[in-house]
Each structure stands twice: as structure tokens, then as C-alpha cells.
Amino acid sequence: MQTEKQIWVEEVLNSADGAVRAQSSDMTDAVMSRLGTAREYTISPVSNDNSLIWRIAASVALLLLLNVVTIYSYLSNIKRSAQVLEVRAAASEFGLGQSAASDPAAAIFGN
Amino acid sequence: MADEEGLIQGLKDQRPVALKDFLEQYQERVYNTALSFVKDVPDAEELAQDVFLTVWNSISGFKGESSLSTWVYRITVSKSLDLIRSKQRKKRFAFLTSLTTTRNEIKHHPVNWVHPGILQENKEKAAYLFRAIDQLPDNQKIAFTLSKLEQLSQREIAEVMQIKEGAVESLIQRAKQNLRKYLEGIYDEIK
């Protein structure tokens, strides 16, 4: 003979019998949207950041410009040195004074 | 609607239409299982979405050793238990912080939570059942919930839990014994 307590316990234990599935809101959009965000992030985290691309491009352009300036300046120096050597050779050939030979630039361009 | 093999291949090929089919077929199962464990509608919805994202992102590693539904149930149960544990940690932390602050805002699961799928006439009693299920050890909780609420067979539960069928039967029996014990305590409390 079951006591009132035992009957109650069994009823509670079986209270989930016949349960049906609860309805949820449609998750398709939410999942697609989360997936879209996740994919954009994992595939190309940089490509969508235009400001970053422009900053990188500007840095590269600046570096190239600095290189051009440096190379131009280097070539100018070489050219000037060659001219100095030429003038020095000419000065010594024509027997000009030591000062002209030692400072041919002054002889050419003046003080 | 695609058959399981076609569905798996579609997901492996990352075809959005396969994902839509998959969502149609599995949304209710995943949501309801999550709801049975986490006992909170927004949490269950977010968790279900997480499950779908996990499946989509890791389907390439699915070797087909179990059925797709078993694999999905396994992911759902595992994520649900992780969420419960994380909430319990937060609850403990909130309790500790409440000791040092004047604000007392510890959030608990509602004591009388009932799965919305429970028949109306059983709702009052089912609230006690869910309170008692919360007291069960994880493995008994999984076996009992999947059997009672998801109505999975013992073979399916064995596959989800990766244990033998006999072990599932024993877990369900032990769960029932423990639930009877907890429910007797609740009866003494309320009567």
C-alpha cells in the first residue's frame, strides 16, 4: 500500500511524460548573421579596414619618396666629386697654385 | 529536404542552403535539449545558435562514426553543461562580492521553472521535478533528461554519452532513486 507521499513522488516523477517540444523563434537569420560576421572576421580581418590600408599605402609611398631623395642626393654627391676631381686635374695640368688645386671648388664657384 | 548524407556533404561544402536545411531539421531538438538543461529561454536560444556555429565550423572533422543527430546532441549537452558550470561559478563569485558590497543582486534560476513543453495539468508538479533534477550528478542528469524530455532511446543516449547501453539503464535507475529521495524531502518541506 503506497502512502500519500509515495503517490505524490511518483506523480511528480512522471509529470514530464507526454511533454512536447517547445517552439523557439526562427534562428536562421540570427545564425546566418553570426556566421557572416564570424567569416568576415576570420577570412579578411584587414581587407575591410580601409583606413588601415590607406595608412600602409601612405607609409610605403613615404618610404619610397625618402629613398628617391636619398639616392638623388647620393648621385649628386658622386657627380660633384667627379667634377672636383676633374677641376683638380685641370688645375694641376695648367700649373695653377696649390690653393686652386687644394680647393678647386673655390676656384670654380668662388667663395 | 536533404537526407543525412547529403546534408553532411552540404555542410562540409559550406553550402548555405545545407545550413538552412540543417537548422530546419535540428532547431527544435537543439533548442529543447538546451532549454531542459539551462532552464532559461534567452540562454537556450543563444546556446542553440552556438551549437549551429560549432557544427558549421567543425563539420570537416566529423568522421561519421556516429549519426549526425548523436553528434549534435553531444555538442548541445556539452555546451549546456559548460554554461551551467560557468553560471554556477559566476553565482559563487557574485555571492562572495555581495559579502563585501551593499548591493545584493545575485541572480538565481527561478525556483519554479518549468519546461514550456510540459502539459498544462502537470506544470505544478513538473516544477518540483526540475528542482530535483538540478540536484543530480551530471551523468545522471544527462541520461534522465535525454530519456524523459527528449525521449531518446537508451541506445541513442549511450551513443551521445559514449558509454554502454547497460550503463545508461543503470544511470537512469540511479537518477530515479535519487529523484525519489529529493522529492520526498521536497514533500516534507511543502506539506
Side-chain angles (χ1 to χ4, degrees):
Chain A
M1 186 80 181
Q2 279 188 314
T3 64
E4 195 184 330
K5 188 200 269 189
Q6 284 167 331
I7 293 169
W8 184 85
V9 165
E10 289 309 312
E11 280 175 0
V12 172
L13 208 51
N14 296 323
S15 61
D17 290 355
V20 291
R21 285 204 170 119
Q23 297 290 314
S24 68
S25 54
D26 186 8
M27 290 178 197
T28 311
D29 286 345
V31 172
M32 290 292 189
S33 142
R34 282 180 66 180
L35 201 58
T37 314
R39 291 190 88 197
E40 274 168 24
Y41 184 72
T42 49
I43 290 171
S44 53
V46 174
S47 64
N48 290 329
D49 189 350
N50 287 333
S51 64
L52 185 62
I53 291 174
W54 282 114
R55 275 196 299 237
I56 292 171
S59 305
V60 171
L62 189 66
L63 276 173
L64 284 173
L65 189 67
L66 281 173
N67 276 341
V68 168
V69 169
T70 311
I71 290 167
Y72 179 77
S73 152
Y74 180 68
L75 289 175
S76 298
N77 279 340
I78 290 175
K79 195 177 171 189
R80 184 181 285 184
S81 301
Q83 281 174 341
V84 167
L85 286 175
E86 263 177 45
V87 169
R88 192 179 281 176
S92 58
E93 195 177 318
F94 290 107
L96 288 176
Q98 188 61 33
S99 63
S102 63
D103 189 5
I108 296 166
F109 303 111
N111 283 321
Chain B
M1 198 171 279
D3 61 355
E4 183 165 305
E5 214 170 293
L7 187 61
I8 294 168
Q9 196 51 53
L11 290 171
K12 283 188 174 177
D13 295 342
Q14 303 276 284
R15 286 203 297 266
V17 69
L19 180 63
K20 277 196 168 185
D21 274 351
F22 175 62
L23 279 160
E24 264 175 36
Q25 286 184 42
Y26 282 87
Q27 177 174 317
E28 282 192 4
R29 268 186 264 186
V30 171
Y31 169 71
N32 276 269
T33 308
L35 192 57
S36 303
F37 284 99
V38 301
K39 300 180 176 61
D40 182 78
V41 170
D43 277 351
E45 283 187 347
E46 198 176 332
L47 196 141
Q49 291 173 21
D50 284 347
V51 170
F52 293 125
L53 290 179
T54 303
V55 169
W56 177 259
N57 289 326
S58 49
I59 189 74
S60 55
F62 177 68
K63 296 186 183 87
E65 286 163 359
S66 62
S67 68
L68 182 62
S69 70
T70 302
W71 189 57
V72 173
Y73 269 119
R74 205 177 290 153
I75 294 172
T76 309
V77 170
S78 157
K79 281 190 179 287
S80 300
L81 294 179
D82 285 348
L83 183 69
I84 293 169
R85 283 186 206 115
S86 128
K87 284 193 140 191
Q88 280 168 345
R89 272 197 302 274
K90 277 184 191 158
K91 214 188 281 179
R92 279 197 292 270
F93 183 71
F95 172 72
L96 286 173
T97 46
S98 75
L99 295 175
T100 55
T101 57
T102 49
R103 290 169 68 201
N104 192 8
E105 294 179 356
I106 308 170
K107 276 180 82 181
H108 294 285
H109 285 309
V111 175
N112 292 322
W113 186 88
V114 186
H115 191 289
I118 296 286
L119 300 178
Q120 189 61 37
E121 62 266 30
N122 291 341
K123 279 194 187 293
E124 198 185 332
K125 284 180 177 147
Y128 297 118
L129 177 64
F130 281 101
R131 212 168 113 186
I133 291 174
D134 265 351
Q135 313 290 316
L136 291 173
D138 280 351
N139 52 3
Q140 292 177 27
K141 193 188 290 179
I142 297 168
F144 186 82
T145 304
L146 291 180
S147 157
K148 273 278 176 186
L149 288 158
E150 278 304 301
Q151 281 143 21
L152 295 193
S153 67
Q154 289 193 358
R155 188 182 53 79
E156 287 169 313
I157 298 172
E159 281 177 14
V160 172
M161 297 181 74
Q162 295 177 296
I163 54 176
K164 290 190 174 140
E165 263 186 80
V168 173
E169 194 177 347
S170 144
L171 279 175
I172 293 174
Q173 287 311 319
R174 286 215 306 276
K176 282 183 179 169
Q177 281 169 12
N178 283 331
L179 286 172
R180 281 192 183 95
K181 214 172 3 175
Y182 300 138
L183 289 170
E184 281 171 11
I186 292 174
Y187 180 89
D188 293 338
E189 198 180 289
I190 59 170
K191 299 282 175 175

